[in-house]
Amino acid sequence: MCFLRFALLSLLATGLVASEVIRPPPVPPPTIKLPPEEQPVRLTDLAIAVSVAGLQAETVTTMTFHNPNGRVLAGELEFPLPDGATVCGYALDVDGQMVDGVIVPKDKGRVVMETEMRRRVDPGLVEHVRGNLFRTRVYPIPAQGSRTITVVHVAELSLSDDGAACHVPLPRTSLPRLDLRVEVAAGAGKPELGGFGDLVLNGFERRWVAEATLQTVTPDDDLYIRLPQLGPELVSLERHQDETYVAISHAPELPQSGGTASAERIAVAWDASGSRDPAAVARDRAVLAAVVARLGCGVDLRVFRNAPAAWQHFAPGPEGAQALAAHLDALAYDGGTDLAALDLRRDALPAAAQAADRWLLFTDGLHTLGDGLPRFGALPVDVIAGGSRRDRGVQRLIASATGGRLIDASTTAAARAAQMLCTGQATLLRVEAPAGALADVQYAYAAGSGRATVYARVRGDCTATLVYGRPGGAGVLRHPVELRRAEAVAGRVIARAWAGARVAELAVFPERNAEKLLHIGRRYGLVTPGTSLIVLENLQQYLEHEIEPPASWPSMRERYFAALKGRRQREGQRVEDKLATVLGWWRERVAWWERDFPRHAEVKVAQGEAREGEAREVVARGREEALTGMARQLASRDAPATAARPADTGGTGGFDLAGMEAAPSAGLAA
């Protein structure tokens, strides 16, 4: 059996179109790594459906892989998703039918998978690895056959100064069939489509829809969906199940201040662990170089992996910048990451950097050694994220808890990122609302786009107020937003986006928040650090592991519940039978104890005494017979052979019978 791996790099990538935003590079097609003698598994069909609601997009990607080899293959798929994306659906073809995965606790999913693997029938399983990295295993991909996989995820759109956009990567490979569908909820203006496909949007029931089916095609570009001229405020209310959810996007006009523009030195913490992506490191280095050039400052650098290294100090000016670049070039990126070993308090700064007013932290947030956070105090920490593989929850928590900023260097040019880092700009401090009106509010401010994003559950009509200001200072701007639940439309995209933001927050400490993660994963169908999506193939598997089949497979659910009902009835009958038996025994015991046995007891005692007397009599008689026999034997042995011994019927024949009596007596007693 061959084990294969293939990477889906950003099924929905962030980034787009403003001059200050980097257009993401083309994404390579999904590939399967096999031994050199094997023919590659080919992607034969690809279908992508994107549904945009507000500034969130749900993407459904269906892939069919063909195995041209003469033996069965097993596959493990690892796929990093866009920043903040959440997997909320997974399906696998079983006997020609797409079967949806169901949410199970992560530990149980792993146990089920290992159990079925020993039977050589693997289930399909999607697990959360860390941050925005997910993994699934599929078996079997039959010889000369195909398997189809569907992955569903929700992610935020990429924001720019004048709009929002969704970038849908397409593989640059020949596809026998490609299906594309785009659906955008009606907003302030008509969306724009660009890139591959020449799709045309048409209005339909408060939505814009475009779709196409292409045969034998090789995409030469990606697909772009743009929402132009968003305006300063965009509010989307959605009704899902029995709850109302809101997503608010707001672009405030905030005052600027000098901030770190006059700093003589800056303190930098640099992640050099093995999880760092080389492309991300290059982007982070470009940002740091742009900051140093803009400020003309010196740098106090602390490299960390499982433990922080010794401080390195670089002087201001071109020579110091060159020495810093050479030092970063010589770093070896290996080992694990222990963020808890990092001290970002002011007292941890060397004497030369005590005047620094903030830290710059370059890390992917993927702490592989424990789940602790750095020690921090009043000193703000700006977090720079240059890669797609990262833990945004950790990065955002460090930045927001210290009053710092989170800069996405993967979609923001280095010069623009340096400008934001060197300018003391206000941020979103909090969201105010009447008590009980909003629940589980999640908010963030993207310095790159200048927009704030708020997610919340709406419990009652209210006015929510977004308060902006400098960290640690008073608010400089208050923006009210009216929320009316009657304006909510049916849907699930915003609900899942809120749940994904909540999971990212809780996942910073997965063990501590295990129960909450399990509840959210089950309620919203999300893959979290505490839950997985699993696909089983037959009724026996569902029954054995007591996993409820998906709602999209009604016939299996009907058989499952019927079999489960029969099993429970049989188990109930066995319990009743056992209780009846035990009750019968108990009643017999009670009846025995309640009976009166006085005469019977007297008879037993008398019989026992009689038998004891008989036993004593038998023992005494046996003892006497034994002594007599022994005396006769001795007398016979000592008598002359030719003459009879004189008769002495009244004596002992010369023997001390009293002395001989003791030995047999002792022997009998023994």
Side-chain angles (χ1 to χ4, degrees), residues 90-95 97-104 108-109 111-117 119 121-125 139 147 533-550 553 556 560:
Y90 170 66
L92 184 66
D93 65 310
V94 177
D95 297 331
Q97 174 184 353
M98 295 302 295
V99 177
D100 289 330
V102 293
I103 290 292
V104 296
K108 181 174 182 178
V111 170
V112 172
M113 188 184 78
E114 292 176 353
T115 299
E116 297 302 323
M117 283 174 59
R119 300 170 180 169
V121 180
D122 288 3
L125 181 72
Y139 175 83
R147 293 303 297 267
L533 275 167
I534 192 167
V535 175
L536 300 178
E537 297 188 356
N538 55 60
L539 177 63
Q540 182 59 36
Q541 290 176 319
Y542 285 108
L543 286 172
E544 178 181 349
H545 303 294
E546 294 188 354
I547 296 176
E548 186 176 312
W553 201 355
M556 179 61 74
Y560 173 82

Side-chain angles (χ1 to χ4, degrees), residues 384-395:
I384 296 86
S388 60
R389 291 185 54 169
R390 58 176 172 142
D391 192 329
R392 186 180 68 160
V394 170
Q395 294 170 327

Side-chain angles (χ1 to χ4, degrees), residues 18-67:
S19 60
E20 298 158 337
V21 178
I22 301 173
R23 176 171 173 170
V27 176
T31 58
I32 299 175
K33 294 182 180 180
L34 299 174
E37 65 274 10
E38 298 291 343
Q39 301 181 56
V41 172
R42 294 182 289 108
L43 178 64
T44 58
D45 291 334
L46 177 64
I48 300 176
V50 183
S51 178
V52 179
L55 297 182
Q56 296 74 35
E58 179 183 84
T59 302
V60 182
T61 303
T62 301
M63 302 159 285
T64 299
F65 295 96
H66 177 72
N67 175 18

Side-chain angles (χ1 to χ4, degrees), residues 313-330:
H313 307 284
F314 301 92
E319 292 184 1
Q322 292 176 3
L324 173 62
H327 182 79
L328 294 177
D329 281 339

Side-chain angles (χ1 to χ4, degrees), residues 176-218:
R177 180 186 175 98
L178 173 62
D179 291 299
L180 297 174
R181 176 181 171 82
V182 175
E183 183 176 308
V184 183
K190 182 179 179 179
E192 299 174 357
L193 297 182
F196 179 78
D198 295 327
L199 299 180
V200 178
L201 286 165
N202 297 299
F204 179 73
E205 295 183 354
R206 298 180 61 186
R207 295 181 179 273
W208 297 97
V209 180
E211 53 187 338
T213 297
L214 307 174
Q215 306 285 344
T216 315
V217 61
T218 302

Side-chain angles (χ1 to χ4, degrees), residues 37-348:
E37 65 274 10
E38 298 291 343
Q39 301 181 56
V41 172
R42 294 182 289 108
L43 178 64
T44 58
D45 291 334
L46 177 64
I48 300 176
V50 183
S51 178
V52 179
L55 297 182
Q56 296 74 35
E58 179 183 84
T59 302
V60 182
T61 303
T62 301
M63 302 159 285
T64 299
F65 295 96
H66 177 72
N67 175 18
N69 298 284
R71 56 175 173 167
V72 174
L73 300 178
E76 186 174 281
L77 165 69
E78 287 194 356
F79 48 101
L81 293 178
D83 187 22
T86 302
V87 172
C88 51
Y90 170 66
L92 184 66
D93 65 310
V94 177
D95 297 331
Q97 174 184 353
M98 295 302 295
V99 177
D100 289 330
V102 293
I103 290 292
V104 296
K106 188 172 184 178
D107 292 343
K108 181 174 182 178
R110 176 61 59 178
V111 170
V112 172
M113 188 184 78
E114 292 176 353
T115 299
E116 297 302 323
M117 283 174 59
R118 288 192 290 268
R119 300 170 180 169
R120 303 183 64 82
V121 180
D122 288 3
L125 181 72
V126 176
E127 296 178 300
H128 179 266
V129 180
R130 190 71 188 178
N132 62 334
L133 183 64
F134 297 81
R135 175 177 57 216
T136 181
R137 176 181 166 82
V138 181
Y139 175 83
I141 303 177
Q144 305 295 328
S146 301
R147 293 303 297 267
T148 300
I149 305 168
T150 296
V151 178
V152 184
H153 70 272
V154 172
E156 297 178 358
L157 271 61
S158 174
L159 300 175
S160 60
D161 292 339
D162 59 348
C166 174
H167 168 217
V168 184
L170 298 176
R172 307 299 196 266
T173 186
S174 178
L175 296 171
R177 180 186 175 98
L178 173 62
D179 291 299
L180 297 174
R181 176 181 171 82
V182 175
E183 183 176 308
V184 183
K190 182 179 179 179
E192 299 174 357
L193 297 182
F196 179 78
D198 295 327
L199 299 180
V200 178
L201 286 165
N202 297 299
F204 179 73
E205 295 183 354
R206 298 180 61 186
R207 295 181 179 273
W208 297 97
V209 180
E211 53 187 338
T213 297
L214 307 174
Q215 306 285 344
T216 315
V217 61
T218 302
D220 58 0
D221 200 354
D222 296 330
L223 175 63
Y224 298 91
I225 308 166
R226 178 171 166 77
L227 307 182
Q229 300 177 351
L230 291 177
E233 178 187 289
L234 180 64
V235 180
S236 301
L237 285 160
E238 186 181 78
R239 185 176 61 257
H240 178 63
Q241 296 179 357
D242 56 348
E243 298 241 35
T244 301
Y245 301 84
V246 65
I248 303 171
S249 177
H250 180 235
E253 295 184 4
L254 298 174
Q256 304 288 328
S257 61
T260 58
S262 60
E264 296 182 359
R265 302 192 68 84
I266 58 173
V268 175
W270 189 273
D271 186 350
S273 63
S275 65
R276 294 275 271 154
D277 175 46
V281 171
R283 287 189 285 267
D284 287 351
R285 286 189 54 192
V287 172
L288 180 56
V291 170
V292 172
R294 186 181 182 92
L295 297 178
C297 62
V299 175
D300 298 292
L301 175 70
R302 191 153 208 195
V303 175
F304 66 94
R305 299 179 183 86
N306 61 310
W311 282 95
Q312 299 291 325
H313 307 284
F314 301 92
E319 292 184 1
Q322 292 176 3
L324 173 62
H327 182 79
L328 294 177
D329 281 339
L331 286 178
Y333 290 85
D334 55 17
T337 310
D338 186 4
L339 291 175
L342 193 61
D343 193 342
L344 301 179
R345 294 173 295 183
R346 183 178 297 278
D347 293 343

